[in-house]
Amino acid sequence: MSKKRPMTLIRFRSLRSLRGLLGTGARVCRVTWKLSPRTVARYFLGASLEIAGSILSIYATAQLAAGLARFVGGSGDASGLWFWLWLDIGCAVAIAVGFWLMSAAKRILYYRMVAWSTYYYHSTLCRLVITDFENKNVRSLITKVAAGYTWQLSNIMQYMLDLIYGLLRFAAITVVVAQIAWWVIPLLAVFLLPSLVLENKLQSLQWFVWDQKGDHRHIFWGLEWLLRRVRAQMELRSLQSGTYVTEKLRRMNESFYTKQERTFRRASKRLLPAKVIEGVGTAAGAVYLLKQFLGGALSLHQYFFLSGALLRVGGALNAIFGSLNYMQEPLIFARDYFQLIDRQPKLIDKPDAHPLKTSGPPTIEFENVSFAYPGKDSVILDNVSFCIKPGEHVALVGENGAGKSTLIKLLLRFYRPTSGRILLEGKDLQDLAIETWYAHVASLFQDFNQYTLSVHENVSIGRADIAPNHEKILAAALKSNLDEVVSLYPHGYDTMLDSSFEKGIEPSGGQWQRVALARAFYRDAPVLILDEPTSAIDAKAEYDIFNNIFAHYQDRTAIIVSHRFSTVRRAHRIIVLDEGKIVEQGTHAELMKQYGLYHELFTKQAEGYKE
């Protein structure tokens, strides 16, 4: 019973979602039209030429065959034969031109749809809130869309064009054939119906495997992505774990496609009889036509015409049904794609959100803030309250898991507090237009981005809303000691930070961190947020960088998360967290006199350096 259940579920879902899939197809058509109305018009001009040429060619061929039969039969009448021949040749040219127009239009629309779908996919990822990436359903949606956003939308666009073309072709042939023998069309449709139903079910089952294996494929592509990274390859090879990963990928892929294959084999067994029935329909039509001719109901040219039209009608119906069948999986993909790009983030600005009006650093206040990650029971922050004055340099310290980075995530509104409020200039962060707050912030996280761009772009992307200023880039490089590194690069600030490029190099971890620091400094914002900013930099360089921070940010707020206590000694205030609570705060000197947790951690770390 359990083995049959997935098929039942798919059948029910397919029926229930039919209207949605039709709506998705219509939306793809609207997008295609907006991308290039002229190209769509050229496609249907070509389709019209091909359809008209094909029908006229069948008729011309029938007339030519009937004329030749009369001539061979002894009538000696060759009148009209050359006319029908040249007309047939002209039709062949029209068909060729029509197919060329259609093919060229589809290729151009393919390129434009790829560009469109790629842009909207990327922009959607930048618009989603952080929690969306941790949501199982959204993550599965992203994984499925990532598997084919560059080509699946283009495929469905081409299938839709082919379907409309097939319907027009079928309608035109039907109108012509119906003038002589209307019954041919429903006869073929009845015999083709079993194939349509079974192929429709087969496509649904194939996609059902996708839904079942959503997390499975997410893991697969995560591991595959590691194989493409130089640094990941270094670890894989030095730990001799490459074989393990590739074997795991092989097993996962084999499991996925084995299930696809089993599903296909089970469903395709029923498809063979349907295909036989389909052939029987064409044969029945051919037999009936011959009987009609022999009985005198059809003239010779009518028989030839209907015999040729019979194959074209069958081909048109097959094309329509084939398009419908093969469209099903891309349509489901397109539905998921549109579901993703239409997704509205939960932490968006309120309708009445107001901007952060101050031009300088705002007063930042945490008021009884508690937080637990969605779906988790453990509390990360417990009733935390503190205030950061404009221009104050504050360090957040504590052991791993104390809640330091979580405070930063809440301050940047990546998450919403479980309880309590975060206030900027006395206004609840949830009531602010978030982009006006981000405009005040320069941030650097421990897992910072390493862009495959030049040094110049890696720094200037920190203020991407304005044209790059080389003088400011040099100043930012000076503050982060990046200037020392760039001076060693053969192409200076034009050096690509990727060794696979001709003008590229592969920076060390410490060099990358200086690039990221320069990016934060280049932003030149009133509030600087640094989360473990120098973990990969040697002690001397770290000392110089922090001296630059404290020296150049006298009138700006700096919030620094660090495990190295020596780097935060010059902070105006040090806040010590332990198990989600603030246990101490004050200057370095004040905290050392208290002989509390800060004194204990600082002393242990200092002794470690001595050893």
Side-chain angles (χ1 to χ4, degrees):
M1 293 295 290
S2 59
K3 292 183 178 180
K4 295 182 179 179
R5 190 178 178 187
M7 190 176 294
T8 305
L9 288 172
I10 278 295
R11 189 182 299 117
F12 173 74
R13 189 186 71 170
S14 180
L15 291 171
R16 184 180 62 184
S17 62
L18 178 60
R19 181 180 297 178
L21 292 180
L22 290 174
T24 299
R27 184 170 179 181
V28 171
C29 289
R30 290 195 298 271
V31 170
T32 304
W33 176 257
K34 288 180 180 179
L35 287 175
S36 182
R38 290 185 179 180
T39 307
V40 174
R42 282 198 294 272
Y43 175 85
F44 285 109
L45 173 62
S48 300
L49 277 174
E50 193 283 325
I51 292 169
S54 293
I55 294 175
L56 198 54
S57 176
I58 297 171
Y59 186 74
T61 301
Q63 290 285 5
L64 183 62
L68 287 171
R70 288 193 298 269
F71 181 81
V72 172
S75 68
D77 182 14
S79 63
L81 290 180
W82 286 105
F83 171 79
W84 294 116
L85 176 62
W86 286 115
L87 180 60
D88 204 7
I89 292 172
C91 289
V93 173
I95 292 170
V97 172
F99 274 129
W100 175 79
L101 284 171
M102 292 168 67
S103 177
K106 283 170 68 174
R107 179 53 55 182
I108 291 171
L109 290 171
Y110 179 91
Y111 296 143
R112 297 198 178 186
M113 183 63 81
V114 167
W116 180 88
S117 61
T118 301
Y119 169 76
Y120 275 95
Y121 173 70
H122 291 165
S123 60
T124 297
L125 294 182
C126 290
R127 181 172 49 81
L128 297 176
V129 294
I130 299 300
T131 50
D132 282 335
F133 293 94
E134 298 169 346
N135 179 290
K136 179 181 178 181
N137 294 329
V138 179
R139 187 185 68 197
S140 177
L141 197 61
I142 292 172
T143 301
K144 285 190 285 187
V145 171
Y149 66 90
T150 58
W151 54 274
Q152 284 277 36
L153 262 292
S154 296
N155 278 357
I156 191 61
M157 176 269 297
Q158 296 194 49
Y159 285 136
M160 290 301 298
L161 290 175
D162 288 344
L163 175 63
I164 297 171
Y165 156 66
L167 289 169
L168 291 174
R169 190 165 181 258
F170 174 72
I173 296 176
T174 299
V175 169
V176 174
V177 170
Q179 306 303 312
I180 304 172
W182 63 268
W183 45 265
V184 171
I185 310 301
L187 175 69
L188 289 176
V190 167
F191 280 97
L192 283 171
L193 193 59
S195 290
L196 170 65
V197 173
L198 289 174
E199 288 186 5
N200 173 71
K201 186 180 294 182
L202 176 60
Q203 294 297 326
S204 295
L205 287 168
Q206 293 289 96
W207 189 258
F208 182 66
V209 177
W210 243 119
D211 279 351
Q212 282 191 323
K213 296 283 187 177
D215 284 346
H216 181 281
R217 302 307 287 172
H218 182 74
I219 295 170
F220 177 88
W221 278 310
L223 292 174
E224 187 185 51
W225 179 74
L226 284 175
L227 294 181
R228 299 197 300 266
R229 299 182 65 216
V230 173
R231 293 190 180 186
Q233 280 287 352
M234 292 178 183
E235 179 175 316
L236 287 170
R237 296 180 189 206
S238 62
L239 295 181
Q240 298 178 310
S241 53
T243 301
Y244 173 83
V245 172
T246 53
E247 277 299 304
K248 186 173 181 66
L249 286 170
R250 183 190 63 78
R251 290 194 302 271
M252 294 176 75
N253 217 29
E254 191 174 83
S255 170
F256 178 78
Y257 285 106
T258 297
K259 186 155 190 174
Q260 290 268 34
E261 183 180 331
R262 282 201 305 267
T263 303
F264 174 79
R265 286 179 181 276
R266 187 170 66 249
S268 63
K269 289 178 181 178
R270 304 177 187 178
L271 195 57
L272 181 59
K275 289 296 181 183
V276 173
I277 293 172
E278 183 182 319
V280 169
T282 303
V287 169
Y288 190 83
L289 284 177
L290 184 59
K291 284 187 175 182
Q292 290 289 91
F293 169 71
L294 295 175
L298 296 175
S299 66
L300 186 60
H301 80 268
Q302 284 179 325
Y303 172 74
F304 283 135
F305 175 74
L306 286 175
S307 295
L310 180 67
L311 296 176
R312 298 295 178 97
V313 171
L317 283 172
N318 259 317
I320 293 170
F321 292 164
S323 294
L324 288 171
N325 287 326
Y326 288 113
M327 277 169 57
Q328 193 170 168
E329 182 174 324
L331 266 178
I332 296 173
F333 171 88
R335 182 198 60 191
D336 288 345
Y337 177 88
F338 288 126
Q339 183 181 342
L340 178 65
I341 69 171
D342 290 342
R343 183 175 178 81
Q344 294 299 317
K346 293 181 180 179
L347 297 180
I348 59 175
D349 292 339
K350 296 179 179 179
D352 57 347
H354 50 81
L356 181 61
K357 294 182 179 179
T358 180
S359 59
T363 299
I364 301 170
E365 185 176 1
F366 277 65
E367 188 180 86
N368 303 317
V369 171
S370 296
F371 178 74
Y373 284 99
K376 307 293 183 181
D377 295 327
S378 57
V379 176
I380 305 300
L381 294 174
D382 186 8
N383 202 35
V384 170
S385 296
F386 64 91
C387 181
I388 300 176
K389 298 176 182 179
E392 188 176 10
H393 298 166
V394 175
L396 304 175
V397 301
E399 295 186 288
N400 289 333
K404 306 182 298 296
S405 294
T406 301
L407 275 175
I408 301 300
K409 294 175 183 177
L410 292 175
L411 180 57
L412 292 173
R413 212 173 83 177
F414 294 155
Y415 299 90
R416 194 191 306 274
T418 307
S419 62
R421 298 189 303 167
I422 301 172
L423 306 174
L424 299 180
E425 289 293 293
K427 305 293 184 182
D428 194 324
L429 179 60
Q430 305 304 322
D431 297 330
L432 289 175
I434 193 62
E435 294 298 329
T436 64
W437 167 224
Y438 289 159
H440 284 68
V441 174
S443 60
L444 171 61
F445 299 94
Q446 185 173 7
D447 296 324
F448 54 85
N449 290 345
Q450 300 178 6
Y451 300 98
T452 307
L453 299 169
S454 66
V455 179
H456 190 279
E457 281 188 277
N458 259 281
V459 176
S460 65
I461 201 173
R463 182 60 77 178
D465 54 329
I466 60 175
N469 185 309
H470 189 64
E471 293 303 317
K472 290 185 177 181
I473 290 174
L474 294 178
L478 185 63
K479 293 177 188 176
S480 63
N481 288 358
L482 176 62
D483 58 325
E484 299 176 1
V485 176
V486 175
S487 66
L488 303 175
Y489 291 165
H491 303 286
Y493 286 88
D494 292 326
T495 303
M496 291 293 295
L497 298 184
D498 187 323
S499 58
S500 62
F501 288 87
E502 184 179 349
K503 294 184 178 181
I505 57 96
E506 188 65 35
S508 66
Q511 290 173 341
W512 264 121
Q513 205 149 36
R514 295 188 196 198
V515 171
L517 276 165
R519 184 159 60 236
F521 292 148
Y522 176 77
R523 189 162 173 80
D524 197 27
V527 179
L528 180 66
I529 298 176
L530 303 175
D531 188 351
E532 296 292 343
T534 54
S535 58
I537 295 177
D538 61 82
K540 181 182 181 302
E542 179 188 54
Y543 176 80
D544 293 337
I545 290 169
F546 270 90
N547 277 343
N548 288 335
I549 292 173
F550 292 125
H552 290 92
Y553 280 79
Q554 291 299 321
D555 57 344
R556 306 180 193 189
T557 298
I559 304 173
I560 303 166
V561 175
S562 181
H563 281 93
R564 293 182 181 175
F565 292 87
S566 59
T567 63
V568 299
R569 292 177 62 172
R570 291 181 58 187
H572 297 147
R573 183 156 48 109
I574 300 170
I575 297 176
V576 186
L577 289 103
D578 185 35
E579 296 184 351
K581 295 182 179 181
I582 295 177
V583 293
E584 298 171 341
Q585 57 181 309
T587 64
H588 170 75
E590 291 169 347
L591 292 174
M592 290 300 289
K593 290 178 181 179
Q594 292 178 18
Y595 289 93
L597 180 61
Y598 179 83
H599 180 277
E600 176 187 345
L601 295 175
F602 183 89
T603 303
K604 285 182 178 179
Q605 195 171 89
E607 289 175 352
Y609 284 126
K610 290 178 182 178
E611 294 176 1

